[in-house]
Amino acid sequence: MKIQMIAVGTKMPAWVETGFAEYQRRFPKDMALELIEIPAGKRGKNADIKRILHIEGEKTLAAIPKGNRIVTLEVTGKALDTHQLAKNMEKWQLDGRDVSLLIGGPEGLAPECIAASEQKWSLSNLTLPHPLVRIIVAESLYRGWSLNNNHPYHRE
Ligand SMILES: C[S@@+](CC[C@H](N)C(=O)[O-])C[C@H]1O[C@@H](n2cnc3c(N)ncnc32)[C@H](O)[C@@H]1O
């Protein structure tokens, strides 16, 4: 199973690139974590945010291979502890589809991405900055993998 993270935003600060890469490199070949960045629309003074979100949403959906399971990262989604996430990952693997995890930009995900979502995953009740979300998701998935594979990274 491949896990594809599709995130709005490019040219992240070095600490984000480094933090994400630190976890990405740990994934085994049979559960590779791929990152696809969607350029964020220009948000000038009189920007039409609805239109920008729509364009970002279309680009995000276009990056998803047909048949992938779509999971959106949303503050109002369902919170999962590490064991629940690990169980989820087992289920994802059993059904054989690759997974696309969608992370929105400054105003969140486009309505079309939310409508396409099969599962809404919340990391916390706090609204987190989207660059940080990439790192937290990568670490949480790695921890879930560790738990499912009796790897010593995860300790109770
Ligand atoms: C800065 S937030 C967007 C805030 C926007 N006002 C909203 O309500 O979606 C950017 C993205 O990070 C992700 N995100 C932020 N906090 C999150 C959380 N606690 N749980 C899950 N995803 C989160 C979501 O994908 C969100 O679209």
Side-chain angles (χ1 to χ4, degrees):
M1 173 181 80
K2 269 190 273 174
I3 303 180
Q4 181 190 52
M5 181 187 288
I6 308 179
V8 173
T10 54
K11 298 190 188 117
M12 288 293 125
W15 66 268
V16 178
E17 306 261 5
T18 307
F20 179 80
E22 174 57 35
Y23 296 106
Q24 185 187 35
R25 70 175 179 81
R26 299 183 190 207
F27 281 76
K29 280 208 176 78
D30 62 358
M31 196 184 275
L33 176 65
E34 180 193 13
L35 172 67
I36 295 177
E37 294 184 314
I38 303 296
K42 272 217 168 92
R43 285 154 165 86
K45 209 166 140 211
N46 297 315
D48 181 347
I49 297 295
K50 240 179 152 180
R51 192 174 141 66
I52 290 174
L53 271 182
H54 175 65
I55 294 167
E56 289 173 356
E58 282 196 326
K59 288 184 182 164
T60 299
L61 293 177
I64 302 173
K66 209 165 174 231
N68 273 24
R69 175 190 291 274
I70 300 177
V71 178
T72 44
L73 271 294
E74 297 182 41
V75 179
T76 54
K78 187 178 183 310
L80 302 169
D81 65 28
T82 296
H83 286 267
Q84 289 168 328
L85 175 62
K87 281 259 166 304
N88 256 267
M89 291 169 73
E90 269 178 357
K91 267 200 248 162
W92 295 348
Q93 265 185 308
L94 281 176
D95 101 346
R97 291 186 288 160
D98 290 337
V99 177
S100 294
L101 298 168
L102 312 188
I103 300 172
E107 294 85 17
L109 284 161
E112 40 274 77
C113 292
I114 290 172
S117 173
E118 290 176 54
Q119 187 176 347
K120 297 161 192 290
W121 175 16
S122 172
L123 301 172
S124 143
N125 286 335
L126 298 171
T127 299
L128 303 167
H130 58 102
L132 193 54
V133 170
R134 298 178 182 200
I135 302 174
I136 297 173
V137 168
E139 195 280 339
S140 304
L141 292 171
Y142 179 65
R143 188 175 292 279
W145 174 86
S146 305
L147 186 58
N148 286 340
N149 290 276
N150 299 314
H151 185 282
Y153 179 76
H154 178 74
R155 292 174 212 180
E156 295 299 330

